[in-house]
Amino acid sequence: MYTKRTTVLPLLAGAFFLLTGFSWNFGGDRCKDALELANKLPAYSDDAARTKDEAQILSSCPDGAAAQFVQGLQAERSGNIDGAIAGYRRALQKEPGLAVASGNLGLLYLQKGLQDDAAVALTKGIAGQPLPAYHKALGKIMTDRKFYALALYHYGEASAKLPADAAVLAGQAEVYAAQGQTDRAVDEFRRALLLDPSHEQASLALAGIYLQQNQQEAALNLLKKASTANPRSSSLHLMLADIYEKNGDAKQAEYERLLGGKKVVVTEELPARAEGVVLGDQLAAKGEVDKAAEAYRAVLKQQPDAIEPLEKLGALYFRAGRDGDALLAYRDATHLGSSNPEVYYNLGLLYEKRNQLDEAVVAYKRAIEKRPAYAEARLKLADIRLGRGNTQEAVEQYVEFLKLKPESADIHLKLARIFVKNKNLNLAEESYKAVLKLAPDNPEANRELAAVYRAKGATDKAVEHYTKALELQEEDNESRNALVAIYVKDKKYDELAELLQEAVELAPDDANNHYKLGLIYDFKKEYDNAIASYKKAAELKPDHARALHALGRVYMKTGRLSEAREALEAARKADPNMEETSILLNNIRDEFNPVPRKISKSKKTKKGKIKSSGKSKGKSRKSSAKSSKAKASTKKKSP
């Protein structure tokens, strides 16, 4: 009765892992949920709710992009702008699509005067999270670049969500003024000052319009009120000084200049070189870029071959984010024979931003010539060489960089990856060890070193570092998958079951995790546990064909044929193309679950066929009639 089934099952068991056809993917949605929370944080007005969500992000996915973003936020709130920039950059390295990290990074770039970088980052931020702060910042950048239509678009988007924001109104007014729409600009500036009487930008711009219209009294009154609200604003005090001077009030003009921090009165005479450079430095320190540039250029008019003013001018524009002007000034300085390595390094950065990589390479090499221990220039040069496929020179520069800065774990890691790619496993191993000496809890270095050991056949060391990586990052699917493969190969089924049980605990709603755990129990002949795991997988995903098939197979092994048929039918319905399911169903005979039928008396023919009861009755009647006639005839013949 069971002969056919019992011969097929051993064949299927022998091909156990070939027939299962699964991939060892583990996971959960904790980091995904953390990213969703992170994207909401910049819009929070409730500090308590924001703090709660930040804590949740840090605990649920501590090494993920969302956690790096939160660290950036916290650094920014504490006033650590460079730390905030680093945090946002780390977040984007892990998750380039994290819009709020791009947007916040753009705001900080703008704060530091890096307009080109700010524009790129803010545009990426708006693409995924169109927050009004990002639109407002882009509005300012577009105004400075004289892209007035774009500026008005971004200010309009910001105004739709921040109708009472004085800075947005002032920004729109500035665009109208630049386009010659003076009346409209005045109205917008006045609206801005109604919302915020102390708004410096609106006060200065509106006073400027009044002066152009010869309304000196209106300008004076406006600036007095604004300087009272902003007593430390040098721009307001200096503008007042100009008005007082034109009105003939020299004493009040001098007083306002002193309040504005202007101790040196610049005459129309060209300053001497030293005095001009010093003056430029003073103005640059106060953030007055245009006036500082004017001072440096005044020196250059007297001495066109002077290198220092050009270097200063390039640095001034570079810090202000005016890349084109900085490039011209630096290039002129190099043509005159500048020996300042910073000039060549910054020139390289500017070329690289423009994707002029050949020029950038030359500039970085010149910087290294001027200062052989210039670590940052070597690193930049190495990165370009690596990106362009010149691995040998890239490695040389990374090695030189590490001689200067041996504590740079990230560069050791980058070098290790290059060695792995070039299949130089011994050098890769040494580089990974250098990383772990500096950062023993780096999960990536542990996982990648484990892969090197595995490739070299050092399985025990591979297991050690994969295990360490999993301890540092529970959701590290790559390390978990590698350990599973090692344990399967080494037939360490207890360790394998433990590993898969951890995966189930990490992601209890993942049907595949339960299915894979069931396979191990099945292989270990722990059928009750296997059935429980398969049933849980099918419960979470009712059309999980593999889990249903495996459940039916275990039921067959344990003699529960009715349940086996039910599970296998469900598996075939979920995936009609699974041949192995059809094979098992064909081996469950009708007799295992017979359906009773009422059968009448019948006779079998010589060939074994059953004749219907109707025909039998007909033939019986004919036989009876013949028999009666025969009997009657006999009686007549009898004496």
Side-chain angles (χ1 to χ4, degrees):
M1 186 175 182
Y2 295 95
T3 305
K4 188 175 181 181
R5 176 171 63 88
T6 54
T7 54
V8 171
L9 285 177
L11 294 174
L12 292 175
F16 181 81
F17 284 103
L18 294 176
L19 293 176
T20 53
F22 62 84
S23 60
W24 297 98
N25 292 321
F26 304 92
D29 294 330
R30 291 186 302 168
C31 288
K32 182 180 178 182
D33 292 342
L35 285 172
E36 291 177 0
L37 274 180
N39 268 310
K40 298 175 183 176
L41 290 178
Y44 278 15
S45 57
D46 185 343
D47 289 344
R50 185 190 65 235
T51 302
K52 179 183 176 183
D53 282 355
E54 286 180 359
Q56 183 177 340
I57 289 169
L58 291 172
S59 62
S60 62
C61 189
D63 296 311
Q68 301 298 329
F69 173 69
V70 169
Q71 291 173 13
L73 279 179
Q74 293 173 346
E76 186 175 354
R77 286 199 296 270
S78 68
N80 182 5
I81 301 303
D82 290 335
I85 289 174
Y88 296 146
R89 283 174 173 169
R90 289 196 301 271
L92 290 169
Q93 285 175 351
K94 290 178 175 286
E95 183 57 54
L98 184 55
V100 288
S102 292
N104 282 21
L105 185 60
L107 294 177
L108 295 184
Y109 280 151
L110 182 59
Q111 186 176 323
K112 292 175 77 72
L114 304 172
Q115 283 201 348
D116 288 341
D117 293 331
V120 172
L122 288 165
T123 301
K124 289 180 180 177
I126 284 173
Q129 193 75 291
L131 296 177
Y134 302 161
H135 278 295
K136 183 165 67 173
L138 270 173
K140 182 183 185 320
I141 292 172
M142 295 305 144
T143 301
D144 291 345
R145 295 183 174 185
K146 301 181 181 180
F147 297 147
Y148 299 130
L150 284 174
L152 286 175
Y153 164 74
H154 287 295
Y155 280 133
E157 291 295 307
S159 180
K161 295 181 180 178
L162 299 174
D165 190 310
V168 174
L169 292 174
Q172 288 176 317
E174 190 177 341
V175 177
Y176 294 138
Q179 291 179 319
Q181 302 180 51
T182 307
D183 292 342
R184 194 169 181 181
V186 169
D187 289 342
E188 291 297 305
F189 280 132
R190 285 173 176 168
R191 285 180 60 202
L193 289 170
L194 282 174
L195 292 169
D196 182 6
S198 65
H199 198 284
E200 183 179 0
Q201 177 193 357
S203 299
L204 287 167
L206 184 55
I209 292 175
Y210 285 153
L211 290 173
Q212 289 174 0
Q213 296 175 340
N214 293 319
Q215 300 182 50
Q216 286 198 356
E217 195 64 28
L220 190 61
N221 292 332
L222 176 61
L223 291 170
K224 282 180 180 179
K225 189 185 296 184
S227 64
T228 301
N230 297 283
R232 295 185 179 180
S233 171
S234 61
S235 298
L236 290 169
H237 286 299
L238 292 174
M239 197 169 188
L240 273 170
D242 290 341
I243 294 175
Y244 283 126
E245 189 170 24
K246 287 179 181 178
N247 290 342
D249 192 343
K251 185 177 180 180
Q252 190 64 34
E254 186 62 27
Y255 174 68
E256 290 294 339
R257 283 198 180 91
L258 287 172
L259 290 177
K262 194 169 183 179
K263 297 180 182 179
V264 179
V265 179
V266 181
T267 66
E268 293 184 0
E269 297 179 5
L270 292 174
R273 176 175 173 180
E275 291 175 351
V277 171
V278 170
L279 177 59
D281 291 347
Q282 290 174 346
L283 293 168
K286 290 164 62 178
E288 298 184 31
V289 176
D290 291 333
K291 290 182 179 180
E294 185 179 347
Y296 293 137
R297 290 193 183 282
V299 177
L300 290 168
K301 284 180 182 178
Q302 278 189 329
Q303 297 177 307
D305 292 337
I307 296 175
E308 185 182 11
L310 281 170
E311 294 174 341
K312 297 273 189 178
L313 190 60
L316 176 71
Y317 286 140
F318 183 82
R319 290 192 299 270
R322 293 168 60 172
D323 292 351
D325 293 330
L327 187 67
L328 291 173
Y330 278 141
R331 196 158 56 191
D332 288 345
T334 61
H335 290 163
L336 291 172
S338 172
S339 60
N340 186 342
E342 296 292 339
V343 169
Y344 295 97
Y345 178 72
N346 289 348
L347 191 56
L349 294 176
L350 293 169
Y351 279 132
E352 196 171 353
K353 285 174 70 174
R354 293 183 168 209
N355 204 33
Q356 294 177 252
L357 298 184
D358 290 333
E359 291 84 349
V361 166
V362 172
Y364 291 138
K365 284 187 172 181
R366 294 288 300 278
I368 293 168
E369 288 173 8
K370 305 301 179 185
R371 187 195 300 166
Y374 205 149
E376 288 76 12
R378 290 190 179 277
L379 183 58
K380 283 288 183 180
L381 183 57
D383 287 343
I384 292 176
R385 289 307 195 196
L386 181 63
R388 302 180 96 179
N390 192 337
T391 306
Q392 184 176 350
E393 188 172 346
V395 168
E396 290 172 3
Q397 293 299 334
Y398 284 134
V399 169
E400 291 300 319
F401 172 86
L402 288 170
K403 289 178 182 177
L404 298 166
K405 293 193 174 183
E407 304 301 310
S408 303
D410 57 330
I411 305 305
H412 282 292
L413 184 59
K414 184 177 285 190
L415 198 54
R417 288 169 175 168
I418 294 173
F419 290 141
V420 168
K421 189 174 181 181
N422 291 342
K423 298 182 180 179
N424 195 330
L425 299 184
N426 291 330
L427 288 178
E429 179 184 345
E430 293 306 313
S431 292
Y432 281 124
K433 285 180 178 178
V435 177
L436 293 176
K437 185 177 180 180
L438 295 167
D441 292 337
N442 185 310
E444 293 179 343
N446 274 287
R447 179 177 62 249
E448 292 170 25
L449 177 57
V452 169
Y453 281 134
R454 187 180 176 192
K456 295 175 72 174
T459 305
D460 291 342
K461 289 184 177 180
V463 168
E464 176 189 344
H465 286 281
Y466 278 134
T467 304
K468 177 67 174 177
L470 268 181
E471 289 173 1
L472 294 168
Q473 281 186 331
E474 287 183 336
E475 68 279 8
D476 183 353
N477 296 332
E478 188 176 337
S479 293
R480 194 180 301 279
N481 293 344
L483 279 174
V484 165
I486 292 172
Y487 290 152
V488 168
K489 183 178 179 181
D490 294 347
K491 299 181 181 180
K492 294 183 177 180
Y493 300 117
D494 291 336
E495 290 88 341
L496 188 55
E498 182 180 349
L499 196 64
L500 296 176
Q501 184 61 50
E502 288 175 6
V504 166
E505 291 169 2
L506 282 170
D509 294 332
D510 189 325
N512 283 329
N513 287 347
H514 292 280
Y515 166 59
K516 296 161 192 171
L517 181 59
L519 289 173
I520 301 307
Y521 285 138
D522 194 348
F523 195 76
K524 293 175 68 180
K525 294 184 172 55
E526 296 179 18
Y527 295 131
D528 289 341
N529 288 335
I531 288 171
S533 294
Y534 292 145
K535 288 177 78 173
K536 183 63 177 178
E539 177 187 326
L540 291 168
K541 191 175 185 295
D543 62 346
H544 198 308
R546 291 288 177 186
L548 291 165
H549 170 84
L551 181 61
R553 186 183 62 238
V554 175
Y555 280 144
M556 286 184 69
K557 289 180 181 178
T558 54
R560 297 161 66 174
L561 301 178
S562 177
E563 291 165 290
R565 171 183 285 172
E566 183 180 347
L568 291 168
E569 289 288 0
R572 184 163 63 179
K573 183 178 179 182
D575 184 358
N577 297 319
M578 282 180 63
E579 265 186 59
E580 56 267 35
T581 302
S582 298
I583 292 172
L584 292 184
L585 276 170
N586 289 338
N587 282 279
I588 300 177
R589 296 182 178 182
D590 288 344
E591 289 92 336
F592 296 162
N593 189 18
V595 180
R597 291 185 300 168
K598 187 175 181 181
I599 302 175
S600 302
K601 291 181 180 180
S602 59
K603 293 184 179 181
K604 290 185 178 181
T605 64
K606 291 181 181 179
K607 294 183 179 179
K609 294 182 180 179
I610 300 174
K611 294 183 178 180
S612 66
S613 57
K615 289 181 180 180
S616 298
K617 286 179 181 178
K619 288 186 177 182
S620 295
R621 289 193 192 102
K622 289 179 181 179
S623 298
S624 298
K626 288 179 180 180
S627 177
S628 299
K629 287 180 181 179
K631 287 178 180 179
S633 177
T634 304
K635 285 180 180 179
K636 287 178 182 180
K637 290 178 181 180
S638 298

